[in-house]
Amino acid sequence: MAAKIFAGSASPNLAKLISQKSKIPLGKIEVGHFSDTESDVWIQEDVNNANVFIVQSTSAPTNDHIIELALIADALKRSGANKITAVIPYYGYARKEKQSREGEPISAKVVANILTTSGITKVITVDLHADPIVGFFDVPVVHLSAKEVLAAAVKGERLTSPVVVAPDVGGVRRARNFASLLEAPLVVIEKKRNIHERETLEVLSISGESLGETAIILDDIISTGTTIIKAAEALKAKGVKRVLVCATHGVLAGDAVKNLENSTIDKVIVTDTITTGIKSKKIEIASTAPLLANCLREEI
């Protein structure tokens, strides 16, 4: 039986694009809720012995989308699907991949356990916040990078002598690989974060090569925007004329969009791993559909 793609409610547009580019048809599925908000799904296709893909980011409302993904997987398993691959463009709870203090859960591992016990036999994801999360799954994981998607968008800006900026020491490897694609130098911002105030930080210093006129801050996630806004302010204070921000996952929580629009940042480029529906003159969306479609074709 041919492969089929099933779209969860978090990623219908991305699933449609992946289907178009991969030539793998979308399967019929009904996703709804009971009056008490419990999720309910119904697979309306014959999937016996089929290889199926579920496209579902576990973005906000995160808990709902995680449970929905698990229910879809269970329904497909009970319908006789041969192989169930979860395509999770954005993996929620990834920022809790370790205990920062005694008494905390390892949330990323808990979510992995929920998903694998639901019947998922393989996972495809993009730019996990922490590489060790791959090992939290007891099934194979394909960990893709959106760096080439973002690099192509940046090249379209036709920048002169840009420099790539890692917003913290932990993002140096990611930024270095990105800088290599753009043939640009690398700068690192050292910061201090208050673990008791999750979204606050202090910029300590900027180290690396000459900043030049244009800086490209690269991160994996933009949540509230606090980190990159402070980084942009520090760069502008050093004489940088233009600041671009690139991130795979545009979580854009709370007043993030408003804060970004009122910041010194000139442009933000994020991918469509998260469906936001937000419209902003400063924010551009680059699609991961070709990247994911190529991966799915290889899995058939």
Side-chain angles (χ1 to χ4, degrees), residues 262-293:
N262 294 331
S263 73
T264 59
I265 295 168
D266 296 279
K267 189 169 188 177
V268 178
I269 301 173
V270 295
T271 77
D272 56 356
T273 57
I274 296 175
T275 301
T276 63
I278 292 171
K279 293 182 179 180
S280 168
K281 292 182 179 179
K282 274 195 178 182
I283 300 175
E284 177 183 322
I285 309 296
S287 183
T288 56
L291 172 71
L292 291 165

Side-chain angles (χ1 to χ4, degrees), residues 180-199:
S180 178
L181 286 175
L182 297 176
E183 298 181 345
L186 175 68
V187 168
V188 181
I189 293 180
E190 184 182 357
K191 68 182 183 181
K192 179 173 67 177
R193 183 180 296 277
N194 186 338
I195 64 172
H196 301 296
E197 298 178 24
R198 291 176 175 80
E199 305 295 345

Side-chain angles (χ1 to χ4, degrees), residues 1 47-52 76-77 79-85 119 121:
M1 179 176 286
V47 295
N48 192 45
N49 293 321
N51 290 340
V52 296
L76 289 166
K77 178 179 66 175
S79 298
N82 176 52
K83 182 180 178 183
I84 304 171
T85 300
T121 58

Side-chain angles (χ1 to χ4, degrees), residues 1-6 22-27 45-53 76 80-83 296 299-300:
M1 179 176 286
K4 292 181 181 179
I5 294 173
F6 290 88
S22 67
K23 308 301 181 185
I24 301 173
L26 285 173
E45 294 269 358
D46 177 11
V47 295
N48 192 45
N49 293 321
N51 290 340
V52 296
F53 301 93
L76 289 166
N82 176 52
K83 182 180 178 183
L296 264 60
E299 294 294 322
I300 297 177

Side-chain angles (χ1 to χ4, degrees), residues 149-166:
V149 174
L150 293 170
V154 170
K155 289 177 181 177
E157 296 291 314
R158 301 185 181 279
L159 304 176
T160 302
S161 302
V163 61
V164 173
V165 180

Side-chain angles (χ1 to χ4, degrees), residues 3-300:
K4 292 181 181 179
I5 294 173
F6 290 88
S9 62
S11 310
N13 295 332
L14 181 55
K16 184 177 180 180
L17 287 173
I18 294 171
S19 173
Q20 291 171 351
K21 293 183 179 300
S22 67
K23 308 301 181 185
I24 301 173
L26 285 173
K28 293 181 181 179
I29 179 174
E30 183 178 296
V31 178
H33 294 86
F34 292 108
S35 57
D36 60 357
T37 76
E38 289 180 1
S39 298
D40 187 37
V41 302
W42 178 26
I43 305 299
Q44 299 173 313
E45 294 269 358
D46 177 11
V47 295
N48 192 45
N49 293 321
N51 290 340
V52 296
F53 301 93
I54 311 168
V55 180
Q56 173 86 323
S57 279
T58 52
S59 51
T62 306
N63 297 342
D64 288 354
H65 288 152
I66 289 170
I67 294 301
E68 182 184 300
L69 174 55
L71 293 177
I72 294 172
D74 185 77
L76 289 166
K77 178 179 66 175
R78 295 177 187 279
S79 298
N82 176 52
K83 182 180 178 183
I84 304 171
T85 300
V87 182
I88 311 175
Y90 171 69
Y91 184 72
Y93 284 105
R95 286 171 288 184
K96 296 287 288 184
E97 89 288 359
K98 61 184 178 182
Q99 285 185 313
S100 299
R101 52 190 171 180
E102 187 177 351
E104 290 186 334
I106 302 179
S107 307
K109 173 58 176 171
V110 174
V111 173
N113 290 345
I114 292 171
L115 297 180
T116 51
T117 56
S118 68
I120 289 167
T121 58
K122 193 167 190 175
V123 171
I124 298 172
T125 190
V126 182
D127 285 336
L128 289 169
H129 186 63
D131 290 341
I133 296 173
V134 170
F136 291 173
F137 288 89
D138 295 326
V139 296
V141 176
V142 178
H143 187 194
L144 301 174
S145 171
K147 62 179 182 291
E148 292 186 0
V149 174
L150 293 170
V154 170
K155 289 177 181 177
E157 296 291 314
R158 301 185 181 279
L159 304 176
T160 302
S161 302
V163 61
V164 173
V165 180
D168 53 41
V169 176
V172 170
R173 186 180 69 173
R174 183 187 305 112
R176 182 180 291 116
N177 292 336
F178 193 64
S180 178
L181 286 175
L182 297 176
E183 298 181 345
L186 175 68
V187 168
V188 181
I189 293 180
E190 184 182 357
K191 68 182 183 181
K192 179 173 67 177
R193 183 180 296 277
N194 186 338
I195 64 172
H196 301 296
E197 298 178 24
R198 291 176 175 80
E199 305 295 345
T200 64
L201 60 89
E202 174 187 359
V203 175
L204 299 179
S205 63
I206 299 174
S207 61
E209 301 182 43
S210 174
L211 290 177
E213 291 191 0
T214 304
I216 305 165
I217 303 174
L218 179 73
D219 214 341
D220 62 326
I221 296 172
I222 301 177
S223 182
T224 63
T226 302
T227 298
I228 56 171
I229 289 172
K230 285 189 173 292
E233 290 171 353
L235 290 165
K236 288 285 180 84
K238 291 285 186 177
V240 173
K241 297 291 191 296
R242 190 180 184 203
V243 174
L244 273 67
V245 173
C246 290
T248 303
H249 309 297
V251 174
L252 303 175
D255 293 327
V257 174
K258 179 181 177 181
N259 294 337
L260 289 170
E261 289 178 339
N262 294 331
S263 73
T264 59
I265 295 168
D266 296 279
K267 189 169 188 177
V268 178
I269 301 173
V270 295
T271 77
D272 56 356
T273 57
I274 296 175
T275 301
T276 63
I278 292 171
K279 293 182 179 180
S280 168
K281 292 182 179 179
K282 274 195 178 182
I283 300 175
E284 177 183 322
I285 309 296
S287 183
T288 56
L291 172 71
L292 291 165
N294 287 338
C295 185
L296 264 60
R297 282 195 294 264
E298 294 175 358
E299 294 294 322
I300 297 177

